[in-house]
């Protein structure tokens, strides 16, 4: 028996096991679940998804707003409308620290984790900040890559299976693909970081295009950022190493001992794994059809909203267009309210903020959790009359940076908000 071939198979099995455990099983098993939750079709979630997600969430990060009762329990997470992340191994992580997210409430800052097939961590909170600094929602990033990731992973697993059962130089060459996995991830991730930093829209502050930090610590406005590999990246590095070793061993073995014709046993095992791969891909396709994945990806592609288009054309909106814009703003307002729902219902550590939901969603991202100021002005010590006067001025100035926030507020809302702000520092 050729020692090169035996050792090569052993290393390839290790790489396949790591890939299956860390990425393929959770990605394929959880596929389509988030879409079903968002579409209120929880009854269509397969029963095996719940224990699968619960198992992979051991020792994972949960947002500070997450109820203790719901952690590690997908059914409770859905019932409590918690933020649900992808169960596969996180490949990269970045976190953000800012004055309005104090250490006592956010001990790890605002961490977000990048997976092959999705996101996890403080995604909604980070999207709120992105909105105020003029960056797109994180769901806008890599929509096709995330959608295709489970398919690609299944195909890579099939490459390993073919390698294990066939001593063939052509199969050996395909091992370059799993070898390059960590490098391909970095290239794609770096591209989307560049895209986010160079496709800014109007936010609460004006920023020049920039390249967010890929690795290490950085600074964006008043935010300190940290970006580092997560456990999944090191798992990919291990897969890469355990792909290179069998590739090299098989190459040497084929030089000394030409490959023999495959036996019926080899063909039988290959057929079983090929059938498994085809079933997995069929399941992925069926799920994507059920949850309208292509339509959802298309919705992520940025299209200027009606108001932006009208401004570009210097045109006045019709009554119907005004109604459409108001409905769009109402939807955006509802989304902001959902982001702070947990703060209202379960104060927990965030109860230290002692501010209203209205202030938290509209003012805190720029002016600080208690008016101490961030990249927005300090509000401490301002009188109620002064703040109300300024808000009314902003509401009539269509070019003011506050207009998108203040337009939602009624006169009573503004009075309540200015009264709350006037009490800061007392």
């Amino acid at each position: 028996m050729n020692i090169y071939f035996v050792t090569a198979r052993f290393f390839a099995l290790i790489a396949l096991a790591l890939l299956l455990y860390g990425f393929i099983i959770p990605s394929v098993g959880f596929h389509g679940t988030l879409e079903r939750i968002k579409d209120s079709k929880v009854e269509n979630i397969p029963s095996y998804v719940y224990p699968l997600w619960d198992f992979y969430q051991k020792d994972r990060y949960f947002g500070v707003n997450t109820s203790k009762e719901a952690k590690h329990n997908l059914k409770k997470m859905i019932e409590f409308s918690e933020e649900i992340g992808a169960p596969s191994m996180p490949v990269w992580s970045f976190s953000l620290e800012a004055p309005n997210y104090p250490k006592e409430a956010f001990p790890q800052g605002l961490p977000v984790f990048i997976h092959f097939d999705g996101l996890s961590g403080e995604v909604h909170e980070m999207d709120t900040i992105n909105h105020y600094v003029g960056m797109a929602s994180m769901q806008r990033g890599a929509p096709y890559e995330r959608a295709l990731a489970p398919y690609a992973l299944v195909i890579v697993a099939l490459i390993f299976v073919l390698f294990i059962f066939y001593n063939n130089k052509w199969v050996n060459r395909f091992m370059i693909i799993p070898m390059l996995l960590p490098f391909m991830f970095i290239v794609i991730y770096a591209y989307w970081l560049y895209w986010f930093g160079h496709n800014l829209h109007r936010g609460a502050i004006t920023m020049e295009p920039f390249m967010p930090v890929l690795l290490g610590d950085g600074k964006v406005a008043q935010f300190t950022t940290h970006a580092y590999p997560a456990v999944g990246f090191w798992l990919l590095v291990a897969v890469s190493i355990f792909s290179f070793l069998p590739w090299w061993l098989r190459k040497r073995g084929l030089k000394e001992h030409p490959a023999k014709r495959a036996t019926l046993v080899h063909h039988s095992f290959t057929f079983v794994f090929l059938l498994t791969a085809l079933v997995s891909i069929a399941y992925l396709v069926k799920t994507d059809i059920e949850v309208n994945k292509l339509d959802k990806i298309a919705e992520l592609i940025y299209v200027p909203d009606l108001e932006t288009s009208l401004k570009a054309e210097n045109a006045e909106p019709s009554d119907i267009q005004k109604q459409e814009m108001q409905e769009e703003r109402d939807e955006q307002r509802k989304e902001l309210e959902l982001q702070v729902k947990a703060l209202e219902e379960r104060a927990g550590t965030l109860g230290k903020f002692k501010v209203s939901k209205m202030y938290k969603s509209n003012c805190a991202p720029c002016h600080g959790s208690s008016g101490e100021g961030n990249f927005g002005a300090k509000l401490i010590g301002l009188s109620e009359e002064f703040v109300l006067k300024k808000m009314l001025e902003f509401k009539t100035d269509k070019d003011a940076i506050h207009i998108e926030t203040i337009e939602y507020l009624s006169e009573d809302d503004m009075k309540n908000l200015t009264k709350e702000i006037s009490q800061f520092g007392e």
Side-chain angles (χ1 to χ4, degrees):
M1 184 176 291
N2 191 315
I3 188 64
Y4 289 117
F5 292 163
V6 173
T7 311
R9 288 192 180 101
F10 174 72
F11 286 140
L13 276 171
I14 293 176
L16 177 59
L18 293 175
L19 199 68
L20 283 169
Y21 174 78
F23 304 103
I24 297 176
I25 293 175
S27 294
V28 174
F30 195 69
H31 193 66
T33 300
L34 290 179
E35 286 81 2
R36 290 186 174 106
I37 294 172
K38 291 176 183 177
D39 294 341
S40 300
K41 296 179 179 178
V42 178
E43 68 278 2
N44 293 337
I45 298 176
S47 58
Y48 62 79
V49 171
Y50 295 97
L52 175 73
W53 189 89
D54 296 349
F55 172 79
Y56 275 95
Q57 291 307 305
K58 294 176 181 178
D59 301 320
R60 295 284 180 89
Y61 175 87
F62 284 87
V64 294
N65 285 330
T66 307
S67 168
K68 291 182 179 180
E69 184 181 354
K71 290 181 179 179
H72 314 296
N73 189 319
L74 182 57
K75 287 186 178 179
K76 293 288 186 182
M77 294 287 286
I78 297 172
E79 180 184 343
F80 294 168
S81 299
E82 300 288 6
E83 189 167 357
I84 299 170
S88 58
M89 291 292 182
V91 184
W92 212 264
S93 70
F94 66 89
S95 61
L96 179 150
E97 296 177 4
N100 55 317
Y101 294 100
K103 279 288 186 182
E104 60 269 20
F106 295 87
Q108 298 184 46
L110 284 183
V112 172
F113 301 91
I114 311 298
H115 304 246
F116 269 131
D117 55 334
L119 303 164
S120 65
E122 302 283 3
V123 179
H124 287 309
E125 197 75 34
M126 190 70 75
D127 274 341
T128 301
I129 293 173
N130 286 349
H131 169 74
Y132 281 95
V133 300
M135 294 182 73
S137 165
M138 285 188 292
Q139 289 294 339
R140 174 63 184 86
Y144 297 110
E145 293 90 334
R146 285 185 281 113
L148 293 174
Y151 296 89
L153 290 169
V154 170
I155 291 172
V156 172
L158 183 58
I159 291 173
F160 278 115
V161 172
L162 293 174
F163 177 89
I164 291 168
F165 288 109
Y166 292 94
N167 295 326
N168 183 285
K169 65 178 181 179
W170 289 102
V171 174
N172 199 42
R173 288 171 182 171
F174 279 113
M175 290 294 284
I176 295 174
I177 295 175
M179 270 190 265
L180 294 177
L181 280 178
F183 306 101
M184 289 190 290
F185 173 85
I186 290 176
V187 170
I188 295 172
Y189 181 52
Y191 164 78
W192 280 102
L193 281 180
Y194 179 90
W195 185 92
F196 275 105
H198 287 77
N199 287 272
L200 303 174
H201 55 76
R202 188 181 70 168
I205 61 173
T206 301
M207 295 183 62
E208 294 295 325
F210 69 102
M211 176 63 186
V213 173
L214 173 65
L215 177 64
D217 305 323
K219 193 87 171 176
V220 178
Q222 296 299 315
F223 300 113
T224 301
T225 61
H226 312 281
Y228 291 96
V231 61
F233 180 79
W234 302 118
L235 202 64
L236 284 180
V237 171
V239 170
S240 179
I241 293 172
F242 284 113
S243 300
F244 169 78
L245 290 174
W247 170 82
W248 179 77
L249 289 166
R250 176 69 57 82
K251 190 175 181 181
R252 287 199 60 178
L254 287 172
K255 285 183 179 180
E256 297 181 10
H257 305 277
K260 297 179 180 179
R261 184 181 297 274
T263 66
L264 179 62
V265 174
H266 288 155
H267 290 312
S268 299
F269 275 109
T270 304
F271 174 77
V272 171
F273 280 103
L274 179 60
L275 183 62
T276 303
L278 291 175
V279 169
S280 299
I281 291 175
Y283 168 77
L284 293 170
V285 173
K286 177 177 177 291
T287 302
D288 283 342
I289 293 172
E290 288 178 352
V291 300
N292 300 317
K293 177 62 74 71
L294 291 178
D295 291 338
K296 288 179 170 63
I297 292 175
E299 290 173 1
L300 292 174
I301 306 303
Y302 175 72
V303 178
D305 58 30
L306 177 61
E307 187 173 7
T308 304
S309 301
L310 289 168
K311 285 180 180 179
E313 299 170 2
N314 293 319
E316 284 294 323
S318 65
D319 290 340
I320 295 177
Q321 289 172 332
K322 286 181 180 178
Q323 182 178 353
E324 290 176 355
M325 287 190 289
Q326 185 59 47
E327 289 175 356
E328 183 179 344
R329 290 170 183 170
D330 288 343
E331 286 298 318
Q332 292 173 352
R333 178 66 177 174
K334 288 177 183 177
E335 187 175 342
L336 282 173
E337 289 178 351
L338 285 174
Q339 291 176 11
V340 296
K341 179 182 177 182
L343 176 64
E344 283 288 292
E345 296 180 353
R346 301 184 311 277
T349 56
L350 293 182
K352 296 182 176 70
F353 285 144
K354 297 181 180 178
V355 292
S356 68
K357 175 175 66 177
M358 192 187 313
Y359 179 86
K360 171 65 176 168
S361 62
N362 291 287
C363 311
C366 291
H367 297 285
S369 58
S370 299
E372 71 276 11
N374 187 15
F375 48 76
K378 287 185 178 181
L379 302 179
I380 296 174
L382 300 181
S383 68
E384 184 176 349
E385 295 77 14
F386 176 81
V387 176
L388 182 58
K389 179 184 176 182
K390 282 294 183 183
M391 291 183 72
L392 291 172
E393 289 177 359
F394 290 141
K395 192 162 188 175
T396 57
D397 182 0
K398 297 300 181 183
D399 293 323
I401 61 174
H402 297 80
I403 187 63
E404 294 182 0
T405 299
I406 294 178
E407 272 190 332
Y408 294 115
L409 303 179
S410 67
E411 187 173 342
D412 288 339
D413 287 337
M414 287 193 290
K415 287 180 179 179
N416 292 333
L417 196 54
T418 54
K419 182 176 181 180
E420 179 180 8
I421 291 172
S422 68
Q423 296 172 353
F424 289 159
E426 292 183 357

